[in-house]
Amino acid sequence: MNQPPVALVPRPAASLILVRDTISGMEVFMIRRSEEADFVKGAHVFPGGGVDVADASVELAAYCEGLDDFEASRLLGVERGGLAYWAAAMRECFEEAGMLLAHDERGEYADLNQPQHVEVFAQWRESVRAGRATLADLCREQQLRLAVERLVYYSHWITPPGRARRYDTRFFVAVAPTAQTPSHDNSETVDHVWIQPAEALERHRRRELHMVFPTIKTLESIANFPTAEALMKFARSPREMPLMAPRVSTTREGRKILVPGDYAYAEVGRLDPDGKGAAVGEIIPSAVVRLSDKVRRITAPNPGFMTGPGTNTYLLGAGGDIAVIDPGPAIDAHVEALLAAAGARIRWILVTHTHMDHSPAAALLQAKTGAELVGMPPPPFGNQDQSFRPDRVPTHGERVKLDGCALRVIHAPGHASNQLCYLLEEEKLLFTGDHVMQGSTVVINPPDGDMRVYLDSLRQLQGEDLAWFAPGHGFLMDKPQEVLERLLIHRLMRENKVLKAVRGAGMATPETLLPVVYDDVAPGLHPMASRSLLAHLIKLKAEHKLVEALGKWSIA
């Protein structure tokens, strides 16, 4: 009997980014791995490797200066053993590059360039590399202390699943010792270079340097720092340390590597947990994307400023009758794609709201299938699809029974007064329409759009048991509660900017407030931002925080 593959547990590892200042700018130290190396052969990398048992020894910890295991573990977010990562980074740097970040009796970096030290430390380097001695032996015999406080935790990367070797690597950054001359070991490493990050990236683009993805992204992140001091100041500053676990996807142009923050990242992880690279990392109009046993997505060919990659239509059903959520714009090619995927099995057409990119195809699809139209009637405004005539108007909390599953209706007004979300409870998957969008905040456009109501609707969703958002535009979104919290914080921060701008002006018009409140938004987007600004002003007036007189706004 064939056994399922055993997931490969990533090995703990550490890597050290050494930098120095020169007349022409900050440089970073890189070594080139041998073509016979077991991992990333021939690549230019930072010194580093796996964490060994000796790196976690009690004796070695006694030689670590300025950091203990408790604090090191706290910084890395591990229960214990954090100090071993610092030790591994320094040991690997000594073995591979001949640089030892250790203090002498004066508290300064050890001077390995002194003639009497060159041969001594060369022998120690070979002994440590060969396993005949440990870093603790070296510190004891040469009366050195490891300068762990000079290494600053910089980033965290994990090799994607599906690889023959996987590493859970902590990257550290430090200023290189000035009285030490690096050299490759002519075994695992066959060359070395000091190079400016931007030049290394350019040489990689010209295929003169082979580099792996984490190295490229690390160089990109440090390329804009003019000096080593500026980089170290940033590295020491309080900041989020996201886990960088790349995922491989397929696109029309070939393989694409994704990192957290890329729009397709969460969806690719859901569809391809084993990292085989089979999940598609782009939105392709009319393509059928299987999101689960019961859910498929077909995106309309209507990409644009307000629609992103296009409007998503979702098909629900595992083999019997099919429900369609948001049939999309009245584009014949899109309707034909839906019919090709589901055909006469379409029994229900559910609409989240009646903006012109979401519901107009409903009438066309109903004419060809006889399906029941489910949704709320359009409000009497010009940006609404007045052709939508629902056969059934669901109520908040109602469960719409389909073939093999049910959707719970959640009325979530704010973006549109008739906005409905549909919750597939068995998958904790919420079809959000435009209530939550990927890649941008939702435009709240009065009079139908209402900012106060919108924020209340977001808070309402915080009480739901959710695992995924299926938005009207873009890919599946994970961590929905974090998404909701960010949206609420963003809106309230914008509201505070409105209040501050009005207070500073004394009395202001929306036209004078717009470039101040939305100074972080490209001017080309200001026409739509002006609608959300108006929604904020109306909300603040209703809360008696602002007053309006003859089109001018002031603090109440």
Side-chain angles (χ1 to χ4, degrees):
M1 180 182 295
N2 291 330
Q3 297 295 323
V6 178
L8 186 63
V9 177
R11 179 187 175 186
S15 190
L16 181 53
I17 309 159
L18 287 176
V19 294
R20 71 178 185 184
D21 288 324
T22 68
I23 296 175
S24 57
M26 186 184 72
E27 293 182 337
V28 62
F29 179 78
M30 304 186 74
I31 52 177
R32 182 162 69 88
R33 295 184 63 81
S34 165
E35 293 292 345
E36 284 72 45
D38 293 331
F39 190 68
V40 293
K41 57 182 63 178
H44 275 78
V45 298
F46 309 116
V51 177
D52 292 341
V53 174
D55 297 323
S57 73
V58 174
E59 182 182 7
L60 184 59
Y63 291 110
C64 292
E65 191 171 71
L67 190 68
D68 60 19
D69 187 69
F70 178 83
E71 178 62 12
S73 299
R74 185 192 69 80
L75 290 170
L76 299 188
V78 297
E79 186 174 344
R80 65 176 67 87
L83 191 60
Y85 288 86
W86 269 261
M90 290 185 283
R91 174 184 54 75
E92 288 285 348
C93 184
F94 183 53
E95 292 179 12
E96 296 183 340
M99 285 190 285
L100 182 62
L101 277 68
H103 288 156
D104 57 21
E105 65 279 359
R106 300 170 301 159
E108 302 292 335
Y109 271 145
D111 185 348
L112 305 191
N113 287 344
Q114 293 184 23
Q116 67 270 28
H117 288 166
V118 173
E119 184 58 31
V120 172
F121 281 93
Q123 292 178 5
W124 273 107
R125 176 186 180 185
E126 179 56 31
S127 295
V128 173
R129 193 178 71 82
R132 297 190 298 270
T134 66
L135 211 52
D137 296 331
L138 170 57
C139 290
R140 181 179 62 252
E141 296 299 324
Q142 296 299 316
Q143 298 182 331
L144 298 174
R145 301 187 66 80
L146 296 180
V148 292
E149 82 283 0
R150 300 214 189 193
L151 275 67
V152 182
Y153 179 36
Y154 189 74
S155 61
H156 183 191
W157 289 80
I158 291 185
T159 310
R163 302 297 187 272
R165 289 173 179 264
R166 298 188 67 201
Y167 291 92
D168 183 342
T169 306
R170 311 295 180 134
F171 282 73
F172 301 88
V173 62
V175 177
T178 57
Q180 298 182 23
T181 302
S183 62
H184 50 275
D185 61 17
N186 281 318
S187 176
E188 289 187 56
T189 62
V190 294
D191 198 6
H192 67 276
V193 63
W194 282 103
I195 189 170
Q196 291 185 13
E199 181 185 353
L201 292 167
E202 178 57 32
R203 291 183 62 184
H204 169 72
R205 283 189 284 269
R206 297 199 303 258
R207 299 188 178 183
E208 297 173 5
L209 295 182
H210 168 47
M211 295 190 299
V212 293
F213 190 73
T215 306
I216 295 168
K217 289 300 179 182
T218 300
L219 288 170
E220 289 176 350
S221 75
I222 67 176
N224 292 325
F225 290 99
T227 65
E229 179 183 2
L231 172 60
M232 296 303 294
K233 182 178 180 180
F234 167 78
R236 292 186 187 278
S237 64
R239 56 195 172 91
E240 290 187 13
M241 193 72 71
L243 170 61
M244 304 300 286
R247 292 171 177 166
V248 180
S249 68
T250 299
T251 71
R252 286 170 289 188
E253 296 181 355
R255 189 181 77 157
K256 181 179 181 181
I257 301 177
L258 306 171
V259 295
D262 289 337
Y263 292 153
Y265 182 82
E267 180 173 305
V268 165
R270 172 185 168 118
L271 302 186
D272 184 21
D274 296 327
K276 297 178 180 179
V280 177
E282 64 176 326
I283 298 290
I284 302 175
S286 301
V288 180
V289 180
R290 182 177 178 273
L291 301 175
S292 74
D293 290 341
K294 289 185 170 65
V295 183
R296 291 173 290 166
R297 181 183 67 223
I298 300 177
T299 302
N302 65 325
F305 173 68
M306 296 298 296
T307 56
T311 301
N312 290 331
T313 298
Y314 295 96
L315 306 181
L316 273 68
D321 292 338
I322 299 293
V324 171
I325 296 180
D326 277 355
I331 298 175
D332 289 340
H334 183 56
V335 173
E336 291 303 318
L338 298 178
L339 291 171
R345 293 183 296 149
I346 297 176
R347 292 289 177 264
W348 306 272
I349 300 171
L350 293 84
V351 167
T352 62
H353 64 299
T354 52
H355 283 163
M356 298 302 293
D357 58 321
H358 284 262
S359 64
L364 297 176
L365 202 58
Q366 185 186 45
K368 293 180 178 292
T369 64
E372 179 185 27
L373 296 187
V374 181
M376 297 183 71
F381 301 107
N383 62 341
Q384 299 286 342
D385 171 24
Q386 299 300 330
S387 72
F388 183 70
R389 296 288 185 269
D391 299 311
R392 180 167 30 137
V393 179
T395 59
H396 176 73
E398 176 184 344
R399 283 178 170 79
V400 179
K401 295 183 179 180
L402 309 174
D403 189 1
C405 63
L407 294 172
R408 179 155 58 85
V409 179
I410 299 174
H411 184 211
H415 171 65
S417 59
N418 65 344
Q419 166 75 61
L420 300 175
C421 297
Y422 299 100
L423 178 59
L424 182 58
E425 291 179 303
E426 61 188 280
E427 296 188 18
K428 300 180 181 181
L429 175 66
L430 184 71
F431 300 93
T432 67
D434 282 353
H435 188 56
V436 176
M437 295 178 63
Q438 186 180 61
S440 66
T441 55
V442 175
V443 174
I444 308 300
N445 187 12
D448 191 52
D450 187 308
M451 187 65 72
R452 180 187 61 79
V453 171
Y454 178 68
L455 296 181
D456 286 345
S457 293
L458 291 178
R459 295 187 184 100
Q460 172 188 247
L461 290 185
Q462 289 184 308
E464 297 287 349
D465 184 12
L466 306 174
W468 294 89
F469 283 149
H473 310 276
F475 297 90
L476 292 181
M477 303 163 66
D478 67 348
K479 303 178 181 178
Q481 295 300 340
E482 292 183 17
V483 172
L484 292 170
E485 187 65 24
R486 285 198 300 271
L487 288 174
L488 286 165
I489 290 172
H490 174 79
R491 294 291 185 174
L492 293 177
M493 289 178 63
R494 188 73 71 187
E495 182 175 292
N496 288 334
K497 289 184 72 173
V498 173
L499 290 169
K500 182 179 179 181
V502 173
R503 188 176 293 111
M507 186 172 288
T509 64
E511 290 76 19
T512 58
L513 290 172
L514 183 62
V516 178
V517 175
Y518 289 87
D519 58 352
D520 56 337
V521 174
L525 303 180
H526 281 187
M528 293 311 303
S530 69
R531 305 308 299 165
S532 288
L533 172 60
L534 178 59
H536 276 295
L537 293 170
I538 294 172
K539 173 181 180 291
L540 292 169
K541 180 181 179 180
E543 295 171 345
H544 307 292
K545 296 178 181 178
L546 293 180
V547 294
E548 178 197 10
L550 301 176
K552 294 185 178 181
W553 297 79
S554 58
I555 298 294

